[in-house]
Amino acid sequence: MAIKFGRPIELRDAPRRQKDALASPSLDLTIRMRRNRKSEWARRLVRENVLTTDDLIWPMFVVDGHNTRTPVASMPGVDRLTVDQIVRDAERAAKLNIPCIALFPFTEPALRDEQGSEALNPDNLVCQAVRAIKKEFPDIGVLCDVALDPFTSHGHDGLIEGGKILNDETVAVLVQQALTQAEAGCDVIAPSDMMDGRIGAIREALDDNGFGDVQIMSYAAKYASAFYGPFRDAIGSAKTLTGDKRTYQMDSANSDEALREVELDIAEGADMVMVKPGMPYLDIVRRVKDHFAMPTFVYQVSGEYAMIAGAAANGWIDGERAMMESLVGFKRAGADGILTYFAPKAAEKIKAES
Ligand code: PBG
């Protein structure tokens, strides 16, 4: 094999060089990468990663009321759903072969307080939704977020004293929240609060209370991110949040620290681990997967969704292609599954093409 190099290029020679090139066009190349890209069947044959509906977890927002779907302004195509409508979307998920859905509540301001007490109400919106879904569709996986931010008046994930987020006191409440959700019938507890020691405490409490089969997917490497903005709109805590979450969520400049976080959560009993957000943290997904070989998930968060859906709505990018490209990128980075608001759209596209 030889790659032949010509004379040094001079710009004024360009027209003549182009003519020469056309007259004798072949490089003496043995290896040509383009051969395997020559047609769709060949590209399919050598494709390294494939997105399937089995890779998807569909996050949904629950709101009080009846038979209503309210659009979330900053997330075009995503609605807040009343419990009866959540059940309809759970049915859609089941039909699309999406294995699991994740539930997040919009809590009325009147029900929010400093302690986030509504989180422990066995009749709160999340528990109602879990029961309603499980009654009609017992075979679909239901994941519940554990954190206090949808329920606190200050919008933080934990209890506050003197402007500080209390760790151990918060963990004690999170344990109760997890038990409340397990009692309602949820399959996967997903602590997103980033308090130290919560995975071990929750695992022990689940086991002690007869919920040994309830899995834990820990938001193990969760970064303090600007990309959660639209989610906070959706659950109604954008306006109430005082300050930021940088004393508990990770600094976006760190990577080794993510490995320590994941290692601890695995040691404390996490069945699956998650990296969040997704696209700006693909390197973390890869490191975590390579290092621990655990079931590794990634959350394509609300801001990532909003960027793609918003640009597509303006005609600035091809939304469908950008969606699929972003999702297969997570697979390529090593993710076993993806929490994404695109889940139903992506599943529909996968189904149509198979
Ligand atoms: C709550 C929680 C957040 C998200 C999931 N669980 C927001 C936050 O930590 O502020 C973000 C999801 C998204 O942006 O799509 N702790």
Side-chain angles (χ1 to χ4, degrees):
M1 177 196 42
I3 299 177
K4 291 176 181 160
F5 296 98
R7 294 180 294 122
I9 292 170
E10 276 189 50
L11 274 182
R12 64 190 145 74
D13 281 349
R16 190 182 47 75
R17 276 191 294 107
Q18 195 170 23
K19 232 170 112 205
D20 289 353
L22 286 170
S24 57
S26 71
L27 295 169
D28 184 13
L29 290 180
T30 305
I31 295 169
R32 288 185 181 266
M33 297 303 286
R34 289 182 52 194
R35 256 182 224 120
N36 285 343
R37 300 176 199 141
K38 69 181 176 186
S39 56
E40 181 55 16
W41 71 260
R43 291 189 292 270
R44 278 169 53 209
L45 199 61
V46 299
R47 191 158 288 152
E48 298 173 41
N49 294 285
V50 181
L51 181 77
T52 77
T53 54
D54 293 346
D55 300 317
L56 302 171
I57 298 178
W58 180 2
M60 300 179 186
F61 298 110
V62 205
V63 68
D64 197 17
H66 186 67
N67 200 19
T68 312
R69 309 175 77 101
T70 318
V72 179
S74 51
M75 300 177 73
V78 173
D79 298 328
R80 291 187 203 107
L81 311 173
T82 52
V83 170
D84 52 293
Q85 292 302 303
I86 281 267
V87 177
R88 299 290 48 95
D89 274 16
E91 178 173 26
R92 189 174 165 208
K95 285 194 173 138
L96 287 168
N97 214 21
I98 294 172
C100 185
I101 59 185
L103 300 175
F104 298 94
F106 173 94
T107 311
E108 295 299 332
L111 291 174
R112 292 169 181 251
D113 60 22
E114 285 266 311
Q115 284 77 40
S117 339
E118 179 67 7
L120 308 189
N121 173 3
D123 253 332
N124 68 22
L125 279 173
V126 167
C127 294
Q128 285 181 39
V130 174
R131 282 195 294 267
I133 293 164
K134 279 286 160 185
K135 195 167 154 213
E136 279 201 52
F137 303 101
D139 294 334
I140 194 156
V142 177
L143 176 151
C144 289
D145 206 77
V146 166
L148 298 182
D149 57 321
F151 311 99
T152 50
S153 46
H154 43 71
H156 278 287
D157 295 25
L159 305 174
I160 302 189
E161 201 177 275
K164 282 195 172 158
I165 309 295
L166 303 173
N167 193 88
D168 301 11
E169 293 80 348
T170 297
V171 171
V173 181
L174 298 174
V175 164
Q176 295 308 314
Q177 182 184 15
L179 288 174
T180 307
Q181 293 171 342
E183 190 70 54
C186 117
D187 300 290
V188 185
I189 292 290
S192 71
D193 54 283
M194 288 300 279
M195 297 300 124
D196 290 323
R198 89 276 208 221
I199 300 299
I202 290 172
R203 181 72 271 160
E204 194 183 330
L206 289 173
D207 291 348
D208 288 351
N209 286 276
F211 299 116
D213 280 344
V214 172
Q215 292 148 279
I216 297 181
M217 178 187 288
S218 92
Y219 287 69
K222 174 169 176 178
Y223 289 85
S225 172
F227 291 95
Y228 306 149
F231 172 95
R232 293 178 190 164
D233 279 344
I235 66 161
S237 62
K239 290 200 187 76
T240 48
L241 180 64
T242 43
D244 57 52
K245 302 191 175 182
R246 283 188 257 192
T247 68
Y248 45 109
Q249 298 178 348
M250 286 178 57
D251 187 316
S252 53
N254 295 354
S255 172
D256 288 346
E257 187 188 353
L259 299 187
R260 294 186 67 203
E261 282 283 4
V262 171
E263 185 173 24
L264 280 168
D265 286 3
I266 295 170
E268 290 176 30
D271 302 286
M272 304 173 263
V273 295
M274 190 207 300
V275 173
K276 177 186 174 193
M279 207 131 83
Y281 299 90
L282 290 176
D283 57 320
I284 309 298
V285 176
R286 170 51 65 196
R287 282 194 82 187
V288 166
K289 185 65 192 175
D290 284 352
H291 208 89
F292 299 104
M294 280 286 284
T296 303
F297 290 77
V298 61
Y299 201 140
Q300 181 177 50
V301 299
S302 57
E304 298 175 66
Y305 174 87
M307 286 195 299
I308 295 173
N314 278 290
W316 296 334
I317 54 170
D318 179 332
E320 243 188 33
R321 286 184 54 201
M323 164 182 84
M324 296 308 279
E325 188 176 330
S326 68
L327 295 173
V328 86
F330 294 126
K331 294 293 305 276
R332 198 187 60 240
D336 295 291
I338 307 148
L339 292 95
T340 174
Y341 303 97
F342 284 122
K345 255 191 148 182
E348 262 156 19
K349 194 168 161 58
I350 291 165
K351 208 174 173 189
E353 284 169 3
S354 60

